[in-house]
Amino acid sequence: MRLSKYFLPTLRENPADAEVVSHKLMMRAGMIRKVAAGIYDYLPMGLIVIRKVENIIRKYMNEAGAIEVLMPAVVPAELWKESGRWNVYGKELLRFKDRHDRDFCMGPTHEEVVTDIVRNEVKSYKDLPINLYQIQTKFRDEVRPRFGLMRGREFIMKDAYSFDTTDEGAEKSYRDMRDAYCKIFKACGLKYKVVEADSGAIGGNFSHEFMVTAETGEDFVISCDSCDYAANIEKAPVIDVWQEEDEPLKSVERVETKNMKTVTDVANYLGVPEKKVVKTMILRAGNDDIIAVMIRGDHELNMAKIKNFLNVPYVEFATPEEILKSTNGPLGYSGPIGINVKIFADNALKGMKNYVVGGNEKDIHLLNVNHGRDFSIVAFSDFINAKPGNTCPKCGGKYVITKGIEVGHIFKLGTKYSKSMKAIYLDKDGKQQYIVMGCYGIGVGRTAAAAIEQNHDEKGIIWPIQMAPFEVAILPLNDDNEDVVNLAETLYIKLQKKGVEVILDDRKERAGVKFNDAELVGYPIRVNIGKKTLENGEVEIIIRKTGEKISCKKDDALSKILEIREKLYNED
RNA sequence: CGGGGCGUAGCGCAGUUUGGUAGCGCAUCGGUCUUGGGAACCGAGGGUCGGAGGUUCAAGUCCUCUCGCCCCGACCA
């Protein structure tokens, strides 16, 4: 490709609305442009990168036996009503009507559609297992899209769905996908972790996330410092045995805590450690049940754990009105005594004595409260976020915490959708059985963004060669020098003939502009051809990743470039 | 959905407090000169000041409404 005839609008300055480095660099490197919040154009360079990621995904999906299809982006409401998700999915599901006033939505995921295909076409155990996947534009009307392609509303996703006759079969399909995903992210040149995850709104029995480690990640990953255990913070269990406090029970004391809503305020004021202050959170669980969950002041509530413990579809904080109604007190002063909702407590509370709780009254807390004596707890369980230093459930090591970008997520669904949508096959005995499903997603744009988060410097992107829009950039530095131009042209043609993806910066620009654009866009290999070095018959080859500058005789350039390219592909 | 902020040339911003001819840098176009790290100089074009309504002799600036975008939180494959 000749850059003079290409479309690469680079930006010198960072766009005002970009926050994270991948967003800034994708904008500046002319890969994407915003059309609306969370909705982007893919410009040529961006599209090439997207297609490269897609093709890597295709290769390993096909290798794992999955078969590509393409389902509609616009999905009739009937399918979603059938699975029951039409009423559950919430505002993220973009709904609209066609001219006949029929309900439709933009598919945010395709369990319903793919299950519909399979139930219509697959009748026998002989047709199974099967794994169908697609690479398609999805839409989720996120409350707050942000960070460019990292969290768009419209985004390209690879989603695969496996169908098996048995649970064991489904688990094999799951393992196969897990292995394929490992190959995919490795082939993308990314550093990643496979972590245990909560299965969330998709539902199902177990699930893993593929996390690219990056400072700007939105997910917290708990991993062990001495074994390979890793889990999303939503999932990572806290198994520490908390101390049984050995102090005599004191009598409850009512204290005024004017305008102190936070645990820190209350603890400081009363002169007790934060962990002696117990937070009582009022929540609304599925079916509109109001419940209370008590956790230690220095701990964080984990909604996913509560949701799973109660086995309900969602858990939310109660509104101030609901709190007033169920506790007779204002937000910020809730406590367990005298309220008539079910009270659950984190394991850490088991051995605690004489702690501080809210008084269900403005500016009032209670001292020396004890469960059992002053109120009763329905159940103890693990309701808090793990912290660094907690004990690993697998080996007894210590937890550490890192941030990650979720680029892939795999779920074992079981029969959730096959039951609600009646996807049935006949087994060997002619008996009807539900098909056992799994689903497997990869965020394509997010994978590209994650690669930038992980590979960049102050000058721009440093593409892993597998994802780079072009493998080699040739920069003739003196437009008016015939030798320079001729050599650049010759080398450009020769590289093309060798099948190298090469771009020739033949724009009438000064050297500095070409250097800066090349570094911004992040071509793995750059060839400088200038009259200064050409006087000695030499050109410069620069490896973006290492910054290494190799001078070589102009006649050796071709073989040297091929050699470096080969080396870059075989690294990692 | 709660809190905060922003909308002025393609991009980045000033001007709004205190109403009085719409500006700066970069980019673009023409020219001179330069040519290995986003050159310099001369000249030019480009604006419904997000939109609607109002106050006023006069509104980018004040008032009301509205739309869009960003950040924090909540939520979320």
Side-chain angles (χ1 to χ4, degrees):
Chain A
M1 184 55 63
R2 289 168 193 278
L3 199 43
S4 64
K5 299 197 167 48
Y6 205 53
F7 183 52
L8 177 65
T10 55
L11 265 29
R12 194 185 293 210
E13 284 173 288
N14 280 320
D17 58 3
E19 194 72 8
V20 299
V21 68
S22 60
H23 187 192
K24 289 177 185 167
L25 289 176
M26 278 183 163
M27 291 288 294
R28 287 188 51 204
M31 293 177 63
I32 58 168
R33 285 294 182 266
K34 187 171 72 184
V35 179
I39 298 176
Y40 292 86
D41 291 316
Y42 298 94
L43 302 187
M45 286 284 182
L47 185 60
I48 294 177
V49 172
I50 294 287
R51 293 281 183 252
K52 285 205 164 184
V53 175
E54 289 178 359
N55 287 334
I56 290 169
I57 293 171
R58 276 199 182 91
K59 177 177 169 193
Y60 292 101
M61 291 301 291
N62 293 342
E63 203 171 84
I67 305 160
E68 186 167 3
V69 295
L70 184 57
M71 291 178 261
V74 174
V75 181
E78 283 70 53
L79 289 175
W80 279 72
K81 287 178 179 161
E82 211 179 332
S83 72
R85 286 207 289 183
W86 183 258
N87 294 320
V88 180
Y89 211 86
K91 287 191 182 167
E92 255 190 43
L93 185 64
L94 179 65
R95 301 151 208 256
F96 51 91
K97 289 176 188 293
D98 71 3
R99 62 163 69 193
H100 302 292
D101 213 33
R102 289 187 283 245
D103 286 315
F104 284 86
C105 64
M106 291 298 293
T109 173
H110 279 67
E111 284 79 7
E112 283 82 359
V113 183
V114 76
T115 304
D116 182 56
I117 296 176
V118 169
R119 72 174 169 185
N120 290 338
E121 315 305 331
V122 171
K123 307 291 179 193
S124 157
Y125 71 94
K126 293 174 196 165
D127 302 324
L128 297 172
I130 194 165
N131 184 327
L132 301 178
Y133 78 97
Q134 64 175 345
I135 295 174
Q136 189 212 31
T137 297
K138 301 270 189 253
F139 197 94
R140 293 185 191 172
D141 200 356
E142 295 269 355
V143 191
R144 184 144 95 84
R146 56 184 139 172
F147 303 157
L149 294 195
M150 207 118 102
R151 177 178 289 265
R153 293 145 91 201
E154 188 184 283
F155 58 101
I156 299 170
M157 172 168 161
K158 187 285 303 178
D159 48 327
Y161 305 88
S162 66
F163 299 85
D164 279 272
T165 54
T166 61
D167 233 38
E168 297 75 56
E171 277 166 34
K172 179 178 186 307
S173 295
Y174 186 91
R175 282 195 303 275
D176 289 348
M177 281 296 107
R178 191 189 151 127
D179 293 346
Y181 273 36
C182 289
K183 289 179 191 165
I184 288 166
F185 293 118
K186 183 166 188 290
C188 288
L190 295 170
K191 291 190 266 306
Y192 68 95
K193 275 186 181 147
V194 187
V195 311
E196 289 184 15
D198 184 68
S199 45
I202 298 269
N205 319 45
F206 58 85
S207 141
H208 286 86
E209 288 167 336
F210 288 73
M211 294 283 195
V212 170
T213 46
E215 252 321 292
T216 41
E218 295 184 87
D219 290 280
F220 289 98
V221 176
I222 296 287
S223 51
C224 177
D225 66 357
S226 48
C227 76
D228 63 356
Y229 179 81
N232 191 300
I233 196 163
E234 292 196 329
K235 176 83 177 180
V238 177
I239 60 156
D240 297 65
V241 179
W242 309 99
Q243 220 180 340
E244 179 73 27
E245 290 173 359
D246 188 23
E247 42 183 276
L249 301 191
K250 300 189 221 164
S251 49
V252 176
E253 216 177 299
R254 202 179 127 96
V255 291
E256 191 175 350
T257 47
K258 206 153 181 60
N259 293 326
M260 287 175 209
K261 284 191 177 173
T262 69
V263 167
T264 316
D265 291 345
V266 174
N268 287 343
Y269 177 72
L270 297 174
V272 298
E274 282 190 21
K275 62 181 192 177
K276 271 293 214 187
V277 179
V278 171
K279 294 188 272 199
T280 306
M281 327 283 268
I282 308 298
L283 305 170
R284 182 162 20 82
N287 312 327
D288 291 342
D289 280 345
I290 301 292
I291 60 160
V293 176
M294 300 179 71
I295 63 170
R296 228 167 70 179
D298 58 331
H299 288 159
E300 266 175 40
L301 191 67
N302 181 315
M303 299 282 231
K305 288 180 178 177
I306 297 166
K307 195 189 73 182
N308 291 335
F309 180 81
L310 298 173
N311 197 21
V312 293
Y314 67 90
V315 172
E316 291 171 353
F317 283 112
T319 61
E321 295 74 45
E322 287 169 327
I323 292 172
L324 186 64
K325 212 170 129 192
S326 52
T327 69
N328 277 322
L331 174 68
Y333 295 93
S334 297
I337 299 181
I339 59 175
N340 61 356
V341 298
K342 282 183 182 170
I343 300 171
F344 299 88
D346 180 67
N347 288 329
L349 262 69
K350 268 184 201 165
M352 284 180 68
K353 302 214 167 60
N354 301 324
Y355 43 86
V356 179
V357 300
N360 294 318
E361 199 179 322
K362 185 160 168 46
D363 301 333
I364 296 295
H365 277 79
L366 303 177
L367 294 182
N368 304 324
V369 168
N370 291 278
H371 50 270
R373 185 190 69 181
D374 302 321
F375 66 97
S376 47
I377 287 168
V378 175
F380 288 95
S381 186
D382 169 20
F383 294 130
I384 60 173
N385 281 342
K387 282 185 175 180
N390 284 150
T391 308
C392 169
K394 202 166 156 187
C395 76
K398 296 289 176 214
Y399 278 164
V400 292
I401 192 162
T402 48
K403 282 176 163 183
I405 300 164
E406 180 194 350
V407 289
H409 201 157
I410 58 179
F411 301 83
K412 182 167 167 266
L413 291 174
T415 53
K416 181 181 156 104
Y417 294 93
S418 49
K419 273 186 179 150
S420 60
M421 297 187 65
K422 303 191 179 50
I424 289 163
Y425 70 95
L426 292 181
D427 69 12
K428 282 179 184 162
D429 305 321
K431 271 181 62 185
Q432 293 195 333
Q433 305 281 0
Y434 289 115
I435 298 177
V436 188
M437 293 173 58
C439 82
Y440 318 93
I442 293 178
V444 176
R446 190 183 276 190
T447 300
I452 296 174
E453 293 293 333
Q454 211 170 59
N455 304 286
H456 68 271
D457 62 15
E458 65 288 344
K459 300 243 178 201
I461 303 169
I462 305 174
W463 286 113
I465 196 164
Q466 297 86 342
M467 267 192 227
F470 291 90
E471 296 162 329
V472 179
I474 300 175
L475 276 55
L477 302 175
N478 315 91
D479 305 309
D480 55 350
N481 182 302
E482 226 172 274
D483 293 342
V484 166
V485 173
N486 288 342
L487 180 59
E489 287 284 340
T490 318
L491 192 56
Y492 170 63
I493 303 286
K494 279 184 182 164
L495 282 167
Q496 278 191 326
K497 283 198 176 135
K498 289 283 183 187
V500 176
E501 294 160 0
V502 56
I503 188 154
L504 175 67
D505 192 349
D506 56 346
R507 295 174 302 170
K508 299 276 173 279
E509 289 287 354
R510 296 164 65 88
V513 175
K514 295 187 182 188
F515 290 150
N516 284 314
D517 271 352
E519 279 157 334
L520 175 60
V521 174
Y523 312 105
I525 303 168
R526 182 175 110 211
V527 186
N528 289 348
I529 302 179
K531 67 178 179 192
K532 210 189 265 180
T533 56
L534 207 51
E535 279 166 12
N536 306 321
E538 288 185 342
V539 300
E540 288 165 348
I541 302 170
I542 291 136
I543 302 172
R544 180 72 175 91
K545 192 158 77 175
T546 58
E548 206 178 338
K549 189 190 275 186
I550 301 155
S551 293
C552 81
K553 290 288 170 201
K554 64 178 184 185
D555 293 334
D556 299 337
L558 179 65
S559 60
K560 190 72 195 168
I561 292 165
L562 292 172
E563 181 194 320
I564 293 168
R565 169 172 172 261
E566 202 56 31
K567 203 179 103 206
L568 287 176
Y569 270 108
N570 292 324
E571 272 175 9
D572 300 322

